[in-house]
Amino acid sequence: MYTGEYGSSEEDSVEEPKLKYERLANGVTEILQKDAASCMTVHDKVQILTNQGSSVPALSHRPPTQTTPSTFKTTNTPFIPFQFLALGTHFGKVFLLDIQGNVTQKFEISPVRINQISLDESGEHVGICSEDGKVRALCSELVAIKEGCVVALHPRFSSSNYKQFVTGGNKLLLYERNWLNRWKTSTLHEGEGTINNVQWRANLIAWANNVGVKIYDISTKQRITNVSRDNVSLRPDMYPCSLCWKDNSTLIIGWGSSVKICAVKERDHAEMRDLPSRYVEIVSAFETEFFISGLAPLADQLVNLYFVKENSDHVEEEFRARPRLDIIQPLPEGFEELSSDALTVRNFQENECRDYRLEHSEGESLFYIISPKDIVVAKERDQDDHIDWLLDKKKYEEALMAAEISFKNVKRHEKIGMAYINHLVEKGDYDTAARKCQKVLGKNMELWENEVYRFKTIGQLKAISQYLPRGDLRLRPAIYEMILNEFLKTDYEGFATLIREWPGELYNNMTVVQAVADHLKKDPTNSTLLTTLAELYTYDQRYDRALEIYLRLRHKDVYQLIHKHNLFSSIEDKIVLLMDFDKEKAVDMLLDNEDKISTERVVEELRDRPELLHIYLHKLFKRDHHKGQRYHERQIGLYAEYDRPNLLPFLRDSIHCPLEKALEICQERNFVEETVFLLSRMGNCRRALQMIMEELEDVDKAIEFAKEQDDVELWEDLISYSIDKPPFITGLLNNIGTHVDPILLIHRIKEGMEIPNLRDSLVKILHDYNLQILLREGCKKILVADSLSLLQKMHRSQMRGVRVDEGSICESCHTSILPSDMAQNFSVAVFHCRHMFHKECLPSLGTIPGVQFCNICSAKRRGPGSGILEMKK
């Protein structure tokens, strides 16, 4: 483990450090003993599963075969989210590493230093550039581009639509694969010195040269900004520019001691004119004390890697000090330093500003400090680190509260947890102390029982009762019985709650039943104790006793108990009690279980309670119109007495009720609508219509009735009855147009009679007539159009050619339709039915001159044997 060294001693530090450090070892150690790190990139989105089952990034590598630009691609193996590292060295090698620093693959790329490695989002493709100005790419073949010191792939390079990358040397070149699968090169920028850094994010490319930083929008093919370099006195090769995209629209620039945060924004359409569609706003700019070797985002903060030079007390020259890793909060015109750590990396006395790099993982808060002979990983401190720091600072109370959040290592935190519980008990916060027992004590039965007895000693058994283990870990039954007895003495409701919440296996049921029975002797009507006793009987499978108590208390759980334990034989004589308690639930239960309690038994039990009998029979009828048919006659009177609104629907749906009996009951009670329905059903429609007109005086209902019956005589009766009643005439005029000729009604109206809304009625009659005419005309047009369409379709079908080949035979002589010598003349007749004949094999023409029919198909229509006769002719 590597530990960063801070500016002040850790013991005296008041503020807690933000990061912890670890040196990347394993294979990295061996690499850096023989070579030196020059660059590195981090990828945290792809893991490649090899055939052997190991989880390592893998790249195929073959000798060069062409000189056109390409990229390298991983082998065709499955991917899952994973992080890997690509490390470039001074001796031109590229190593693929896992996050522990183990080497998974090695590539001999160049004899000189690797300058930059670029990966796409998928991790399948990479571009590599070296000190000799060559850019290389690995795929199924190794390719070299002759010009370029830096390289960046399109983030979505693995997609066929985004085969693009840029290289930078004296100019910035864009390579794009065209539809012919060849590479097209275009120059994006040149003439401002060597390009020493390039970064591509989404549609934006940022690069740095001797003059400043530029940003190019690949989607609009426009350069949108130029951010000038501030520290012009510094050599750009010794103090290179650091570029880092925070997100798709925020670029962080560090150069020398200057930091700028640039936001790419959309330009308002009214301001565009000839300007790019985007522009850059510098949202924060400030100077730092030291030289910047790398930057990375951390939420809304920045992580800066500084190259530090300090003055010696003994000599006047500056010397190279340990690099610093600072976390800062950017402000519009400055920054706030949140933490600062001095890092003791190997050979830091020999390193320059350009020798350090800072890379980060976007998926995790991991920061890699790269120097030639050392790679250090910085990580945000977690809760365990926080607790350790609090304990080191003797801040026990804060450490205990922090320990509440994280108990990843139970043994490590058990002591802290027990101290926390003791602290809460001493404070008198018993409920919180009991709640913490669940996390602190875990599955340690001995500790649990000790805590229970301690809470008993201080009189706080109630506090710990709701947190006792009830799952896989269970304490001795005596522990639970002790707590139940405490509640039974002082809190009946709390006792009932525990009985409902605790499984019955936690305690001896008979012991608790006896204790409850003893208390009921003192208070025999206590509903809480009676309900609890019923639950205890249920746990003990003494369901009859539990049912007896529930019925006496009219408890809502009685139905659940009956269903769950099939107690239907016990309730045959308790049906009235169940329905008095809850009619709907009782009836539903009885109907759902007719195989256990028959309909006859239910009717017999309810014979003295007709209002309950009606509810039961009504629901039975709604479920099945035929099941209770033997009771339909009785139901007529029950509906008439208790539920008239459902009488008419019953009469409509039932085919088993006697109509004469129903008519008698309805006439006795003067139920007109029901009587009308029964009369019409019995065939006395004229009497039914008369009742509607005379007793209901409802012309609309009379018209509707006449429409339903569709009887000319009924319409005649209706007209005769209405002819001296103007309102009735109006109703008829408005409704009979589609059933009776309105002229018959109009001719019978007396001259001079005032009829309300006569004009509107006549207009409606004419409108209905016109509508009928339009419908007929429309149907005629559709019919003609369809006929024409089908005729054209048939004509096209019959005009199609028919294939005739060596396999075709004459349907008359059954020889090949084509002669063996195609040079001689021959005549063939082919019908649309696909039957073929030699011309000489056809019979004479039919009755229609010039028209020949297929004799086979004609014979099928005429009957058996006719085809043979036709052939003989």
Side-chain angles (χ1 to χ4, degrees), residues 152-179:
L153 303 185
H154 192 295
R156 298 175 62 185
F157 190 90
S158 58
S159 173
S160 60
N161 295 330
Y162 299 98
K163 294 296 184 184
Q164 300 172 312
F165 64 93
V166 291
T167 63
N170 292 325
K171 60 178 72 174
L172 186 69
L173 298 177
L174 172 66
Y175 291 84
E176 300 177 277
R177 179 169 285 173
N178 59 23
W179 63 277

Side-chain angles (χ1 to χ4, degrees), residues 181-221:
N181 208 28
R182 296 179 179 177
W183 289 98
K184 180 183 73 172
T185 307
S186 54
T187 301
L188 301 184
H189 186 71
E190 63 181 328
E192 293 185 356
T194 302
I195 296 170
N196 53 50
N197 197 349
V198 61
Q199 299 292 331
W200 194 329
R201 179 74 174 248
N203 289 324
L204 299 176
I205 305 171
W207 71 93
N209 56 29
N210 294 348
V211 176
V213 175
K214 279 77 175 171
I215 300 178
Y216 183 83
D217 189 342
I218 195 71
S219 62
T220 61
K221 300 188 182 304

Side-chain angles (χ1 to χ4, degrees), residues 24-25 27-28 31 40 57 82-87 95-105 375:
L24 200 61
V28 172
I31 292 169
M40 192 178 82
F82 184 65
Q83 182 186 97
F84 69 88
L85 314 174
L87 173 66
F95 297 88
L96 295 186
L97 314 168
D98 62 19
I99 57 173
Q100 283 80 34
N102 298 303
V103 177
T104 60
Q105 280 191 286
I375 299 177

Side-chain angles (χ1 to χ4, degrees), residues 239 290-291 307-311 318-322 352:
Y239 298 89
F290 306 106
F291 299 112
F307 170 69
V308 181
K309 284 187 176 182
E310 294 182 353
N311 293 318
E318 293 182 329
F319 67 94
R320 301 173 184 125
R322 293 178 297 169
E352 297 288 348

